[in-house]
């Protein structure tokens, strides 16, 4: 007899990050270690007692719900995604195989051998570094670094990272070890860098270096892409392994 479905879960918190769209989000945590995030608890769980002892840990596991939303890459996509209340996207038509970005978006492997966001159940797992824990009047806020989550992502659970149990020095990386990731060289004029808040600049450069474009994108050196980041619309082009930032504007 088949097992029944598990009862519905509700978020305990939401994370606020500088990436409001799926476009640009690093494909794994710590690929952009300076990306900032703040975990804000729902009122029911916003209790100092619930995070007591957490300050003694350096890292956390976040269990969260994927929100794929509107695909990005253009100014129009940014506007459309901002205007859409439901950012969940859909996983109804999941596939048993997917095309990982690390394989250029051309080769397929089993979905359970990847961390693809398109899964039977849209659940994500991420390790982040604790930057600080703020005790506000509205409850605790956990400030983290290196999160690969879009702004507003629902957090289902939080667990401490335990080095002796979670770190396996003899672990193998499977097919990923045979497919090294090619980072881009970022050309970012000083006058444009000065338009970005200094504390946000390192994370932006790291995001751009990881290549926000869809895997297997065509070679279109004249095409202008748009990335929504920390309240900015970042316009850039890509020619081979060189990404050039050509404009920074404050998002409307």
């Amino acid at each position: 007899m088949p097992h029944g479905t598990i009862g519905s879960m509700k978020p305990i918190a939401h994370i606020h990050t500088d990436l409001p769209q799926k476009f640009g989000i690093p494909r794994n945590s710590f690929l952009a270690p300076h990306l900032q995030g703040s975990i804000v608890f729902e009122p029911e769980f916003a209790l100092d007692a619930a995070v007591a002892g957490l300050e003694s840990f350096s890292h956390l596991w976040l269990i969260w719900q994927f929100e794929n939303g509107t695909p990005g890459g253009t100014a129009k996509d940014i506007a459309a995604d901002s205007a859409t209340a439901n950012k969940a996207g859909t996983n109804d038509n999941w596939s048993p195989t997917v095309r990982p970005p690390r394989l250029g978006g051309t080769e397929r492997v089993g979905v359970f051998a990847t961390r693809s966001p398109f899964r039977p159940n849209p659940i994500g797992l991420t390790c982040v570094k604790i930057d600080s824990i703020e005790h506000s009047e509205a409850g605790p806020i956990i400030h983290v670094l290196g999160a690969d989550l879009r702004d507003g992502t629902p957090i289902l659970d939080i667990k401490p990272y335990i080095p002796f149990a979670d770190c396996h020095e003899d672990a193998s990386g499977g097919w990923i070890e045979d497919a090294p990731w090619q980072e881009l060289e970022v050309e970012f004029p000083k006058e444009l860098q000065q338009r970005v808040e200094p504390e946000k600049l390192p994370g932006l450069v790291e995001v751009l270096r990881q290549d926000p474009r869809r895997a297997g994108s065509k070679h279109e050196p004249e095409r202008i892409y748009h990335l929504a980041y920390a309240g900015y619309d970042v316009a850039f082009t890509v020619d081979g392994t060189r990404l050039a930032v050509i404009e920074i504007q404050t998002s409307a």
Side-chain angles (χ1 to χ4, degrees):
M1 179 180 295
H3 294 287
T5 58
I6 298 175
S8 62
M9 292 182 286
K10 59 182 178 181
I12 63 167
H14 288 76
I15 190 169
H16 297 288
T17 71
D18 290 322
L19 290 163
Q21 284 192 292
K22 182 175 178 289
F23 183 76
I25 293 176
R27 295 170 174 92
N28 279 295
S29 61
F30 292 109
L31 293 179
H34 290 91
L35 273 184
Q36 302 169 335
S38 297
I39 299 170
V40 179
F41 288 90
E42 292 297 298
E44 180 181 352
F45 307 102
L47 306 169
D48 286 334
V51 299
L54 194 59
E55 69 281 350
S56 64
F57 293 91
S58 63
H59 294 72
L60 294 175
W61 287 112
L62 302 179
I63 301 172
W64 48 280
Q65 181 177 332
F66 277 109
E67 291 198 329
N68 294 316
T70 305
T74 70
K76 184 178 179 180
D77 293 332
I78 294 174
D81 197 70
S82 297
T84 303
N86 183 2
K87 304 292 196 297
T90 179
N91 284 56
D92 293 340
N93 298 319
W94 76 279
S95 171
T97 61
V98 296
R99 293 185 292 238
R102 205 175 186 102
L103 294 177
T106 57
E107 298 181 45
R108 285 188 173 273
V109 295
V111 64
F112 301 130
T114 75
R115 296 185 177 184
S116 168
F118 301 101
R119 320 182 68 80
N121 292 305
I123 297 173
L125 176 68
T126 289
C127 182
V128 296
K129 182 178 181 180
I130 300 176
D131 191 31
S132 65
I133 299 177
E134 175 186 353
H135 295 277
S136 71
E137 292 184 2
I141 300 174
I142 307 175
H143 299 283
V144 300
L145 296 172
D148 54 342
L149 289 78
R150 69 175 288 168
D151 183 50
T153 294
I155 305 299
L156 302 175
D157 202 3
I158 295 171
K159 299 178 186 290
Y161 176 93
I162 303 174
F164 81 85
D166 295 341
C167 180
H168 301 277
E169 295 182 357
D170 60 342
S172 63
W175 57 264
I176 294 173
E177 294 183 350
D178 298 323
W181 184 252
Q182 175 67 61
E183 292 189 342
L184 300 180
E185 177 186 350
V186 177
E187 183 180 292
F188 200 154
K190 289 291 185 183
E191 61 269 22
L192 294 181
Q193 291 187 32
Q194 292 171 358
R195 299 184 189 178
V196 181
E197 297 172 74
E199 66 272 19
K200 301 295 184 183
L201 187 59
L204 173 57
V205 173
E206 290 166 351
V207 167
L208 295 172
R209 189 178 295 141
Q210 293 302 317
D211 194 348
R213 299 174 304 161
R214 183 176 180 177
S217 295
K218 297 178 181 178
H219 181 220
E220 301 176 286
E222 304 302 320
R223 178 176 176 179
I224 298 176
Y225 297 88
H226 290 262
L227 169 72
Y229 175 86
Y232 302 101
D233 180 348
V234 182
F236 64 91
T237 60
V238 181
D239 188 357
T241 59
R242 174 181 163 274
L243 182 150
V245 179
I246 60 173
E247 184 60 271
I248 299 279
Q249 294 185 345
T250 302
S251 299

